[in-house]
Amino acid sequence: MDIDAVKDALAAQAIEVPSWAYGNSGTRFKVFGSPGTPRDPFEKIADAAQVNLFTGAAPRVSLHIPWDRVDDLAALAQYARDLGVEIGTINSNVFQDDDYRLGSLTNADAAIRAKAVAHHLECLDVMRETGSRDLKIWLPDGTNYPGQDSIRARQDRLADGLAEIYAALRPDERLLLEYKFFEPYFYTTDVPDWGTSLVHCLELGDQAMVVLDTGHHAPGTNIEFIVAQLLRLDRLGAFDFNSRFYADDDLIVGAADPFQLFRIMHEIVQAGALDPAVGVNFMLDQCHNIEDKIPGQIRSIMNVQEATAKALLVDADALADAQVAGDVLGANAILMDAYATDVRPLVAQVREEKGLDPDPMRAYAASGYAERIAAERVGGQQASWGA
Amino acid sequence: MDIDAVKDALAAQAIEVPSWAYGNSGTRFKVFGSPGTPRDPFEKIADAAQVNLFTGAAPRVSLHIPWDRVDDLAALAQYARDLGVEIGTINSNVFQDDDYRLGSLTNADAAIRAKAVAHHLECLDVMRETGSRDLKIWLPDGTNYPGQDSIRARQDRLADGLAEIYAALRPDERLLLEYKFFEPYFYTTDVPDWGTSLVHCLELGDQAMVVLDTGHHAPGTNIEFIVAQLLRLDRLGAFDFNSRFYADDDLIVGAADPFQLFRIMHEIVQAGALDPAVGVNFMLDQCHNIEDKIPGQIRSIMNVQEATAKALLVDADALADAQVAGDVLGANAILMDAYATDVRPLVAQVREEKGLDPDPMRAYAASGYAERIAAERVGGQQASWGA
Amino acid sequence: MDIDAVKDALAAQAIEVPSWAYGNSGTRFKVFGSPGTPRDPFEKIADAAQVNLFTGAAPRVSLHIPWDRVDDLAALAQYARDLGVEIGTINSNVFQDDDYRLGSLTNADAAIRAKAVAHHLECLDVMRETGSRDLKIWLPDGTNYPGQDSIRARQDRLADGLAEIYAALRPDERLLLEYKFFEPYFYTTDVPDWGTSLVHCLELGDQAMVVLDTGHHAPGTNIEFIVAQLLRLDRLGAFDFNSRFYADDDLIVGAADPFQLFRIMHEIVQAGALDPAVGVNFMLDQCHNIEDKIPGQIRSIMNVQEATAKALLVDADALADAQVAGDVLGANAILMDAYATDVRPLVAQVREEKGLDPDPMRAYAASGYAERIAAERVGGQQASWGA
Amino acid sequence: MDIDAVKDALAAQAIEVPSWAYGNSGTRFKVFGSPGTPRDPFEKIADAAQVNLFTGAAPRVSLHIPWDRVDDLAALAQYARDLGVEIGTINSNVFQDDDYRLGSLTNADAAIRAKAVAHHLECLDVMRETGSRDLKIWLPDGTNYPGQDSIRARQDRLADGLAEIYAALRPDERLLLEYKFFEPYFYTTDVPDWGTSLVHCLELGDQAMVVLDTGHHAPGTNIEFIVAQLLRLDRLGAFDFNSRFYADDDLIVGAADPFQLFRIMHEIVQAGALDPAVGVNFMLDQCHNIEDKIPGQIRSIMNVQEATAKALLVDADALADAQVAGDVLGANAILMDAYATDVRPLVAQVREEKGLDPDPMRAYAASGYAERIAAERVGGQQASWGA
């Protein structure tokens, strides 16, 4: 085990954070607000920059359009750079306009489909104004009742719409297509699984990649298998990290099943996909319903770092030997030994060597930032999923 | 098979409808509004009365407090009676106040627990003003993260809070305790299953009964087993009917799995629990996210009627004989023969004999009510889960 | 609705039955035997022929190698023809040899992989001797413990092994690759989902198709979506029909969720895939643990027929109109109207017009066949999954 | 944190092992045998004693009747004592006799019910001959098809049968009733959940307790909630430890979700239920399908010990403070800090202080026992679930 290589890998790891995590979000039953919540995209960026300031591992912020629409996007991007972060992935939104009640790219109405395509072309413009490479499409489209619409026709409309959007990509841009098991529709979902996302990406071309959100699977799904499969096919474009016990709970990544997160990172490490050149964008996508948002994000970054550290500590040679030898318990033990290791000191050391406080949670709490924004951000409308 | 007895049972069947089904509701992503949506409890009652007018089977309306709080509850009840319906179950609400972020009856803060108890006592007052018998408690309380709170302590607080509420019941009143697998919290739910609800009901006394919402179970749960078990224990107080493919989807009852609805009604019929004297209140609890609300409710009533009709057509004697004989295929075939029967003509006939149109959907559409309320209900704030 | 076309379609429908359904099978806890169980492949064929005799809809029998290995396969095929049925799909078996403990085509040991490939080549020989077109591969391979083997390496070995087998196909032969969520392994499964099966089929070529077993999905999976997607991609090679409440329960098709079966057949009908030219082979794959086997198979055929009849009765034009109009409740109602129809008389009429008894269950029971085999098949070893 | 108290608790921890884990077991598809597998109950006891020899934490062996029936049970018990272990719980078996095809205690046939009751009375005799306190009943009974039998009638028969068995208990004996979500039947299970088990235990009396098998729940079920609830009700009689990704996979405990095991042990520790006086019997119930059996058991013991060690390291005071303060992230962090701790050195130290090798896996491997039994146990019939 080359511990310096492990530390270098940890030091280089970058996790993208979502602008919307700093606004209010919640369940269909209630969205709880909290003091200091950002009221505009600039304040969201400012909060995101705090996460990077204390972790040194969150150098990019994803935007959500139209939530993060501002008149001067270049100014927003410059504001971000001034705070030490870049604009990352641009996320489209086709679920909050009344027109999309029965679907956007898959809607039976051609005018609504055209509107949805146009929205994505607008997102491409945002990418170019903000220096972003990736357009991420999470398509909420689906149906609630058997017979409501034709499954097949919707797939064909989807293929057509994606083709229009893909045709507008520049050579260095990517289209990332996310899948989700269910919600906000409850009978069919038009991109419900990695297979469907892959089928459309294959049809589109090499710049189309699959997004894996860790909360978007059927109960019991082996997520690391999908990770390994998509890496094998060179089609894993990005992660949306979060965790869940039941459905798309959007809890802090690693909170519900830290062992699963470790297994996922193990596949990443084994495939060499921590290397940015492989093209996997590691992003968070969470809702902080009841916990503080900035600390919630910091904790999330730490959880990914610790899972990654454990994955880097797996003795790959010994593991491969045991696997080839058919030593079931031995191979499992090698993996579990890495998992059982307490990597908190190692990750803390990596932080210190970057000039950071070894304990980002404590350091953020001591910084007074939370109290400052609570005092300053009075009046206005707190940002939320709906605004 | 005594077909007259079947028709009498169908003619007598009453299904309670929820006031909130006529307001807007949706998912955490979007609530779609529609023209004509009620703006106050009176308009909700008016819409509910339409459902009864065309089905003859929905003579009661559940209220949700504080959503349906009006200054003069007696006037609301009288308004309902004038339209041919009664006020049914009173539902408490402890999920939309900021104080309840970390729980209501289970909150670690005694003052918040007291507030939640007081809310339920207020609901008892509403019952008495509206002539209602049942207080229904769906407790949203839970936690999102392991360690967040003590599972055990929350159970003890819950038991204390319920005891205070129960102590305020009059002899002819009931406390109905609903359980739910998950949502709006995602790690623990304080009343997650029928066992927990039953344990508390047993501790409270004979006036405490379990509520079974058909969407509140883990994947694969055999719901009719729970129905049979609770009937055996004399503790099935009510149903919240809806249907789901995934989680608590709140779709139209019978839409996702009509065979399951039939099996549930089969247990009801076998146990004689269609008889109101047994004390099972059959209620709807659904969200009409994308479909029209009043027709959505009418369709729901029809679905329950058809499932009930099929259950009434089961040849109980032949079934019992086959079961005792260990005739696996034969017993199954007897059940399936009833299910395969097209009962739409029978149910239509029952309607006609009551002086109703045999096709409530068509009759409602022809009535012009939808167009009238769309034209009249202009301005104001459409009712939704939040208001 | 052209009722003659519906009847023609029903009269033409063919469902393939599995030889192993007539032997004993069960759970890991117990396999219950029954009198008259076949003791060799000839007796299995004889029983299968009874199913065709009474339903007129089961003209082919799938074989399982080595369970159905006989010295003279041509004689077995001729025996089948003499009884009015053909040999259908050949199923390989790589789960009952000690060598396959850690996998067959995916085993880390090259010698075991070669043995597994050779077994499939042997199955191709069986196909040619019996006049079969399809080689069906259900690959049980998987792992039980994290780290036990490399997910990626196993995919690569699988691709290699399949390529060797595929290379041996004649132009008119097909390789059908089945997927399964889990079991007999419990951590990874090497072909766990339709996406993985499709990826391998795409790599192999046009003669490789996906097999969809209705019991092989995660809880809540929308199976008809997968059906529609695979039909759209021209890669749905076959069904293994059965039903389940929980896992791969292998119950009688249509027993657990008849509405799901109808929705599946609706996708088939809408895509025109009842037509044999489309290449979808409709097969049963069930275990009759506690019920009589031949009647269990007859009932299964009837259930598929009734679901098909309902699907054929859907008013496709009205449905398309309602879908395009965005009429959620209307479109759903059109589908449900077909489902609510009692098609037993229609299917019985189709049987009578073919010269069959309208009630195959009663006719079989009256035939005395069950009593005859129970009396005759004394001694010997009853066939089961293991022999 | 009083580290000596933690070490004392770990040193005192006892985990009961099942005799059947040393025999062959597997899936319905294949049972793989291995050299050295015991051929009779004495050899199983000898193997179990090895687990205790190297872990010092497995002082009791559960028996399964009739699998472990021997002519002289007292001699078997003495043999166990000579090897340093005691006979633990007696497990009945009503799933491998042809009579039980349609149920045992719930069978519609009174004679079969009586036979099942008699079998349990025989198990009580075994308890008395072997010095066991607990009769554990896992009732496999259930049905496969809707309508097959009456859910209600089966509950009543079950209550009657259990009452007969309970009546035969001596004051110091216990009846432990296990529940299971599904399998070996697939429509209804007669004791499917903790609620049903509890209802019957409450009806029976104080000597009836619930058994929680960690693999016997619906997907997503919060098991530690059930643990906390049953402890609160003084009705948690025992655990059957194992782990699962999908269904009742019976993998090594802690292998699939070590964090869940930790959370379970956290509830145990918080409730003081590590203390044997509380009456919770910690047992393993696993199948070693592909891994070596004795090392598989040793590893299982180690996994439980490590999860227990982490649970003992939780700073209970700080946790309670954070919980009462509503500090969501802080309370979670306190729990996670304990989980993140590498407790392998601590547990190794506890072993050494007991005079054991700190690494039981290595020590067992070095002992030569595996090679010895492989050489000696030649001929005869290897024990399995069926014998």
Side-chain angles (χ1 to χ4, degrees):
Chain A
M1 187 64 45
D2 179 349
I3 197 67
D4 286 330
V6 169
K7 285 163 65 178
D8 288 349
L10 289 171
Q13 187 174 31
I15 299 147
E16 188 168 317
V17 295
S19 69
W20 54 96
Y22 306 95
N24 295 322
S25 62
T27 69
R28 60 176 168 144
F29 294 100
K30 169 72 175 171
V31 173
F32 293 101
S34 52
T37 297
R39 294 153 307 170
D40 60 42
F42 289 89
E43 291 182 352
K44 292 187 207 172
I45 295 285
D47 287 3
Q50 290 288 308
V51 176
N52 189 49
L53 185 66
F54 289 100
T55 64
R60 291 188 310 277
V61 189
S62 311
L63 298 188
H64 211 294
I65 303 300
W67 297 342
D68 295 321
R69 250 276 168 237
V70 294
D71 289 340
D72 189 343
L73 283 160
L76 187 68
Q78 185 56 50
Y79 180 74
R81 278 193 297 276
D82 292 346
L83 295 175
V85 295
E86 302 276 337
I87 301 301
T89 302
I90 303 302
N91 293 260
S92 62
N93 178 320
V94 286
F95 54 89
Q96 294 196 316
D97 189 298
D98 283 340
D99 277 346
Y100 298 139
R101 185 178 190 129
L102 302 181
S104 62
L105 292 176
T106 65
N107 201 299
D109 181 332
I112 293 174
R113 293 202 300 276
K115 174 176 173 171
V117 168
H119 169 66
H120 285 92
L121 300 183
E122 177 204 346
C123 287
L124 290 179
D125 290 338
V126 173
M127 283 166 58
R128 290 147 195 178
E129 294 181 69
T130 54
S132 170
R133 176 189 57 168
D134 290 351
L135 171 65
K136 178 150 68 85
I137 305 177
W138 166 56
L139 197 77
D141 295 15
T143 66
N144 274 355
Y145 293 103
Q148 180 189 326
D149 201 356
S150 161
I151 295 172
R152 169 72 168 269
R154 292 174 78 93
Q155 285 300 305
D156 292 339
R157 294 172 203 145
L158 172 59
D160 290 345
L162 290 173
E164 287 189 66
I165 299 163
Y166 188 85
L169 289 184
R170 293 178 182 166
D172 58 336
E173 292 173 343
R174 307 193 304 172
L175 183 160
L176 306 180
L177 185 58
E178 190 166 342
Y179 61 91
K180 183 174 181 179
F181 188 47
F182 77 96
E183 195 204 26
Y185 296 97
F186 302 112
Y187 168 51
T188 57
T189 296
D190 290 310
V191 189
D193 51 23
W194 73 267
T196 297
S197 181
L198 178 70
V199 160
H200 286 286
C201 287
L202 290 174
E203 200 174 329
L204 291 171
D206 286 346
Q207 291 164 255
M209 309 283 278
V210 178
V211 179
L212 187 158
D213 181 306
T214 49
H216 288 190
H217 302 85
T221 300
N222 184 323
I223 296 176
E224 59 269 29
F225 178 91
I226 300 173
V227 171
Q229 183 71 278
L230 289 173
L231 286 171
R232 178 176 172 268
L233 300 166
D234 287 325
R235 291 285 179 168
L236 180 58
F239 279 101
D240 269 5
F241 276 133
N242 49 57
S243 77
R244 50 76 69 102
F245 287 98
Y246 303 98
D248 187 29
D249 305 346
D250 280 333
L251 301 177
I252 288 175
V253 56
D257 189 346
F259 183 46
Q260 182 187 60
L261 180 60
F262 162 74
R263 299 194 310 264
I264 290 171
M265 295 312 302
H266 171 61
E267 293 303 321
I268 290 290
V269 168
Q270 294 306 305
L274 273 187
D275 181 349
V278 173
V280 182
N281 190 0
F282 299 88
M283 306 188 289
L284 301 182
D285 182 15
Q286 303 174 167
C287 293
H288 301 296
N289 303 348
I290 58 170
E291 67 272 25
D292 291 335
K293 296 168 178 67
I294 296 173
Q297 291 279 295
I298 292 175
R299 177 79 205 202
S300 303
I301 300 286
M302 295 170 70
N303 285 355
V304 176
Q305 289 178 313
E306 292 174 18
T308 306
K310 292 181 180 197
L312 287 163
L313 292 177
V314 171
D315 185 337
D317 292 337
L319 181 63
D321 289 349
Q323 289 174 342
V324 168
D327 181 1
V328 175
L329 289 170
N332 175 248
I334 289 164
L335 194 78
M336 297 312 291
D337 276 342
Y339 182 65
T341 305
D342 187 346
V343 295
R344 292 172 300 172
L346 175 65
V347 179
Q349 193 183 349
V350 170
R351 283 187 200 110
E352 285 191 302
E353 292 177 3
K354 294 176 81 167
L356 297 167
D357 191 296
D359 183 342
M361 293 291 280
R362 189 184 52 195
Y364 170 75
S367 74
Y369 185 82
E371 293 75 11
R372 196 156 66 245
I373 57 174
E376 290 175 1
R377 295 177 183 169
V378 175
Q381 173 77 32
Q382 294 193 337
S384 78
W385 277 21
Chain B
M1 187 63 47
D2 178 349
I3 199 67
D4 287 330
V6 169
K7 285 164 64 179
D8 288 347
L10 289 171
Q13 187 174 30
I15 299 148
E16 188 168 316
V17 295
S19 69
W20 54 96
Y22 306 95
N24 295 321
S25 62
T27 70
R28 60 176 170 145
F29 293 100
K30 171 72 176 172
V31 173
F32 294 101
S34 52
T37 297
R39 294 155 304 170
D40 60 43
F42 289 89
E43 291 181 352
K44 293 186 206 172
I45 294 285
D47 287 3
Q50 290 289 309
V51 176
N52 189 50
L53 185 66
F54 290 101
T55 64
R60 290 189 309 277
V61 189
S62 311
L63 298 188
H64 210 294
I65 303 301
W67 298 343
D68 294 321
R69 247 287 167 227
V70 293
D71 289 340
D72 188 343
L73 284 159
L76 186 69
Q78 184 57 48
Y79 180 74
R81 278 192 297 274
D82 291 347
L83 295 175
V85 296
E86 302 275 335
I87 301 302
T89 302
I90 302 303
N91 294 259
S92 62
N93 179 319
V94 286
F95 55 88
Q96 294 196 318
D97 188 299
D98 283 339
D99 278 346
Y100 299 138
R101 186 178 191 130
L102 302 181
S104 62
L105 291 176
T106 66
N107 201 300
D109 182 332
I112 294 174
R113 294 201 300 275
K115 174 176 172 170
V117 168
H119 169 66
H120 285 92
L121 300 183
E122 177 204 345
C123 288
L124 290 179
D125 290 339
V126 172
M127 284 165 58
R128 290 148 195 178
E129 294 181 69
T130 54
S132 170
R133 174 189 60 167
D134 290 351
L135 171 64
K136 178 149 70 84
I137 306 178
W138 166 56
L139 198 77
D141 295 15
T143 66
N144 273 356
Y145 293 103
Q148 179 189 326
D149 202 356
S150 161
I151 295 172
R152 170 71 168 269
R154 291 174 79 93
Q155 286 299 306
D156 292 339
R157 294 172 203 143
L158 172 59
D160 290 347
L162 290 174
E164 287 189 66
I165 299 163
Y166 188 85
L169 290 183
R170 294 178 183 166
D172 59 336
E173 292 173 344
R174 307 194 304 174
L175 183 160
L176 306 180
L177 185 59
E178 191 165 341
Y179 61 92
K180 183 174 181 180
F181 188 47
F182 77 96
E183 194 204 27
Y185 296 97
F186 302 112
Y187 168 51
T188 57
T189 297
D190 291 309
V191 189
D193 51 22
W194 73 268
T196 297
S197 180
L198 178 69
V199 160
H200 286 286
C201 287
L202 290 174
E203 201 174 327
L204 291 171
D206 286 347
Q207 291 163 256
M209 309 284 279
V210 178
V211 179
L212 188 158
D213 182 305
T214 49
H216 288 190
H217 302 85
T221 301
N222 184 323
I223 296 176
E224 59 268 29
F225 178 91
I226 300 173
V227 171
Q229 183 71 277
L230 289 173
L231 285 171
R232 179 177 172 267
L233 300 166
D234 288 325
R235 291 285 179 168
L236 180 58
F239 279 100
D240 269 6
F241 276 133
N242 49 57
S243 77
R244 50 75 69 99
F245 287 97
Y246 302 99
D248 186 29
D249 306 346
D250 280 334
L251 301 177
I252 288 175
V253 57
D257 190 346
F259 183 45
Q260 181 187 61
L261 180 60
F262 162 73
R263 299 195 310 266
I264 290 171
M265 295 313 302
H266 172 60
E267 293 303 321
I268 290 291
V269 168
Q270 294 306 305
L274 274 187
D275 181 349
V278 173
V280 181
N281 190 359
F282 301 87
M283 306 187 289
L284 302 182
D285 182 16
Q286 302 174 169
C287 293
H288 301 296
N289 302 347
I290 57 171
E291 68 272 25
D292 291 335
K293 295 168 178 68
I294 295 173
Q297 292 278 297
I298 291 174
R299 178 78 204 203
S300 304
I301 300 287
M302 293 170 71
N303 286 354
V304 175
Q305 289 178 314
E306 291 175 18
T308 305
K310 292 182 179 195
L312 288 164
L313 291 178
V314 172
D315 185 336
D317 292 337
L319 181 62
D321 288 348
Q323 289 174 340
V324 168
D327 180 2
V328 174
L329 290 171
N332 176 248
I334 290 164
L335 194 77
M336 297 312 291
D337 276 342
Y339 182 66
T341 305
D342 188 346
V343 296
R344 292 173 300 171
L346 175 65
V347 179
Q349 194 182 349
V350 170
R351 283 187 200 110
E352 285 191 303
E353 292 176 4
K354 294 175 81 167
L356 298 166
D357 191 295
D359 183 341
M361 293 291 279
R362 190 185 52 195
Y364 170 76
S367 74
Y369 185 82
E371 294 75 12
R372 196 157 66 245
I373 57 174
E376 291 175 0
R377 295 176 184 170
V378 174
Q381 173 78 32
Q382 293 193 338
S384 78
W385 277 20
Chain C
M1 189 63 46
D2 178 350
I3 199 66
D4 287 330
V6 169
K7 285 164 63 178
D8 288 348
L10 289 172
Q13 186 173 32
I15 299 148
E16 188 167 317
V17 295
S19 69
W20 55 96
Y22 307 94
N24 294 322
S25 63
T27 70
R28 60 176 168 144
F29 294 99
K30 170 72 176 172
V31 173
F32 295 100
S34 51
T37 297
R39 294 155 305 171
D40 61 44
F42 289 88
E43 291 181 352
K44 293 186 207 173
I45 295 285
D47 288 3
Q50 290 289 308
V51 176
N52 190 49
L53 186 65
F54 289 100
T55 64
R60 291 188 309 278
V61 188
S62 311
L63 298 188
H64 211 294
I65 303 299
W67 298 342
D68 295 321
R69 250 275 165 240
V70 293
D71 289 339
D72 189 344
L73 284 159
L76 187 68
Q78 184 56 49
Y79 180 73
R81 278 191 297 276
D82 291 346
L83 295 175
V85 295
E86 301 277 335
I87 301 301
T89 302
I90 303 303
N91 294 260
S92 63
N93 179 319
V94 286
F95 54 88
Q96 294 196 317
D97 187 300
D98 284 339
D99 276 346
Y100 298 138
R101 185 179 191 130
L102 303 181
S104 62
L105 291 176
T106 66
N107 201 302
D109 182 331
I112 294 174
R113 293 202 300 276
K115 174 176 173 172
V117 168
H119 169 66
H120 286 92
L121 300 184
E122 178 204 345
C123 288
L124 290 178
D125 290 338
V126 172
M127 283 165 59
R128 290 147 196 178
E129 293 181 70
T130 54
S132 171
R133 174 190 60 167
D134 290 351
L135 171 65
K136 179 149 69 83
I137 305 178
W138 165 56
L139 197 77
D141 295 14
T143 66
N144 274 355
Y145 293 102
Q148 180 190 325
D149 202 355
S150 162
I151 294 172
R152 170 72 168 267
R154 292 173 79 92
Q155 286 298 305
D156 292 339
R157 294 172 202 144
L158 172 59
D160 290 346
L162 290 174
E164 286 190 66
I165 298 162
Y166 188 85
L169 289 184
R170 293 179 182 166
D172 58 337
E173 293 173 343
R174 307 193 306 173
L175 182 160
L176 305 180
L177 184 58
E178 189 166 343
Y179 60 92
K180 184 174 181 181
F181 188 47
F182 77 96
E183 194 203 27
Y185 296 96
F186 302 111
Y187 168 51
T188 57
T189 296
D190 291 310
V191 189
D193 49 23
W194 73 267
T196 297
S197 180
L198 178 70
V199 160
H200 286 285
C201 287
L202 290 174
E203 201 174 327
L204 291 171
D206 286 346
Q207 291 163 255
M209 308 284 278
V210 178
V211 178
L212 188 157
D213 182 305
T214 49
H216 287 190
H217 302 85
T221 300
N222 184 323
I223 295 176
E224 58 269 29
F225 178 91
I226 300 173
V227 171
Q229 183 71 276
L230 289 173
L231 285 171
R232 179 177 172 267
L233 300 166
D234 287 326
R235 291 283 180 168
L236 180 57
F239 279 100
D240 269 5
F241 277 132
N242 50 56
S243 76
R244 50 77 69 101
F245 287 97
Y246 301 98
D248 187 29
D249 306 345
D250 280 332
L251 301 177
I252 288 174
V253 57
D257 189 346
F259 183 47
Q260 182 187 61
L261 181 60
F262 162 74
R263 299 193 311 265
I264 290 171
M265 294 313 300
H266 172 60
E267 293 303 322
I268 290 291
V269 168
Q270 293 306 304
L274 272 187
D275 181 348
V278 174
V280 182
N281 190 359
F282 300 87
M283 306 187 288
L284 302 183
D285 182 16
Q286 303 174 167
C287 293
H288 302 295
N289 303 348
I290 58 171
E291 67 272 24
D292 291 335
K293 296 168 177 68
I294 296 173
Q297 291 279 295
I298 292 174
R299 178 78 205 203
S300 303
I301 300 287
M302 295 170 71
N303 286 354
V304 176
Q305 290 178 313
E306 292 175 18
T308 306
K310 292 182 179 196
L312 288 163
L313 292 177
V314 172
D315 185 337
D317 293 337
L319 181 62
D321 289 347
Q323 289 174 341
V324 168
D327 180 1
V328 175
L329 289 171
N332 175 247
I334 289 164
L335 193 77
M336 297 312 292
D337 276 341
Y339 182 66
T341 305
D342 188 346
V343 295
R344 293 173 299 172
L346 175 64
V347 179
Q349 193 183 349
V350 170
R351 283 187 200 109
E352 285 191 302
E353 292 176 4
K354 294 175 82 166
L356 298 167
D357 191 296
D359 183 342
M361 293 291 279
R362 189 185 52 195
Y364 170 74
S367 74
Y369 185 81
E371 295 74 12
R372 196 158 64 246
I373 57 174
E376 290 175 2
R377 295 178 184 169
V378 175
Q381 172 78 32
Q382 294 193 336
S384 78
W385 278 20
Chain D
M1 188 63 48
D2 178 350
I3 198 67
D4 286 331
V6 169
K7 286 164 62 178
D8 288 349
L10 289 172
Q13 186 174 31
I15 299 147
E16 188 167 316
V17 294
S19 68
W20 54 96
Y22 307 95
N24 295 322
S25 62
T27 70
R28 61 176 169 144
F29 293 99
K30 170 72 175 172
V31 173
F32 294 101
S34 52
T37 297
R39 295 155 305 171
D40 61 43
F42 288 89
E43 291 181 352
K44 294 186 206 172
I45 295 285
D47 287 3
Q50 290 288 308
V51 176
N52 189 49
L53 186 65
F54 289 99
T55 64
R60 291 189 308 278
V61 189
S62 310
L63 298 188
H64 210 295
I65 303 300
W67 298 343
D68 295 321
R69 250 271 167 242
V70 292
D71 289 339
D72 188 343
L73 283 160
L76 186 68
Q78 184 57 48
Y79 179 74
R81 277 191 298 274
D82 292 346
L83 295 175
V85 296
E86 302 275 335
I87 301 302
T89 302
I90 303 303
N91 294 260
S92 62
N93 180 319
V94 286
F95 54 88
Q96 294 195 317
D97 188 299
D98 283 339
D99 277 346
Y100 299 138
R101 186 179 192 130
L102 302 181
S104 63
L105 292 176
T106 66
N107 201 301
D109 182 331
I112 294 174
R113 293 201 302 276
K115 174 176 171 170
V117 168
H119 169 65
H120 285 92
L121 300 183
E122 177 204 344
C123 288
L124 290 179
D125 290 338
V126 172
M127 283 167 59
R128 290 149 194 177
E129 293 181 69
T130 55
S132 170
R133 175 190 58 168
D134 290 352
L135 171 65
K136 178 148 69 83
I137 305 178
W138 165 56
L139 197 77
D141 295 15
T143 66
N144 273 356
Y145 293 102
Q148 180 190 325
D149 201 357
S150 161
I151 295 172
R152 170 72 169 268
R154 291 173 79 92
Q155 286 298 306
D156 292 339
R157 294 172 203 143
L158 172 58
D160 290 346
L162 290 173
E164 286 190 67
I165 298 163
Y166 188 85
L169 290 183
R170 292 177 183 167
D172 58 337
E173 292 173 343
R174 306 194 306 173
L175 183 160
L176 306 180
L177 185 58
E178 190 165 342
Y179 60 92
K180 183 174 181 180
F181 188 47
F182 77 95
E183 194 203 27
Y185 296 96
F186 301 112
Y187 168 51
T188 57
T189 297
D190 290 309
V191 188
D193 51 22
W194 73 267
T196 297
S197 181
L198 178 69
V199 160
H200 286 286
C201 288
L202 290 174
E203 200 174 328
L204 291 171
D206 287 346
Q207 290 163 256
M209 309 283 280
V210 178
V211 178
L212 188 158
D213 183 303
T214 50
H216 288 189
H217 302 85
T221 300
N222 184 322
I223 296 176
E224 59 268 29
F225 178 91
I226 301 173
V227 170
Q229 183 71 275
L230 289 174
L231 285 171
R232 179 177 172 267
L233 300 167
D234 288 325
R235 291 284 180 169
L236 180 58
F239 279 101
D240 268 6
F241 277 133
N242 49 58
S243 76
R244 50 76 68 101
F245 287 96
Y246 301 98
D248 187 29
D249 305 345
D250 281 333
L251 301 176
I252 288 175
V253 57
D257 190 346
F259 183 46
Q260 181 186 62
L261 180 60
F262 162 73
R263 298 194 311 265
I264 290 171
M265 294 313 301
H266 172 61
E267 293 304 321
I268 290 291
V269 168
Q270 294 306 305
L274 273 187
D275 181 349
V278 173
V280 181
N281 190 1
F282 299 88
M283 307 187 289
L284 301 182
D285 182 16
Q286 303 174 166
C287 292
H288 301 297
N289 303 348
I290 58 170
E291 67 272 25
D292 292 334
K293 297 168 177 69
I294 296 173
Q297 291 279 295
I298 291 175
R299 178 78 205 202
S300 303
I301 300 286
M302 294 171 71
N303 286 355
V304 176
Q305 289 178 313
E306 291 175 19
T308 306
K310 292 181 179 197
L312 288 163
L313 291 177
V314 172
D315 185 336
D317 292 337
L319 181 62
D321 288 349
Q323 289 174 340
V324 167
D327 180 2
V328 174
L329 289 171
N332 176 247
I334 289 164
L335 193 77
M336 297 312 291
D337 276 341
Y339 182 66
T341 305
D342 187 346
V343 296
R344 292 172 300 171
L346 175 65
V347 179
Q349 194 182 348
V350 170
R351 282 187 201 110
E352 284 190 303
E353 292 176 4
K354 293 176 83 166
L356 297 167
D357 191 296
D359 183 341
M361 293 290 280
R362 189 184 53 195
Y364 171 75
S367 75
Y369 185 82
E371 294 75 11
R372 198 158 63 244
I373 57 175
E376 290 174 3
R377 295 178 183 169
V378 174
Q381 173 78 31
Q382 293 193 337
S384 78
W385 277 20

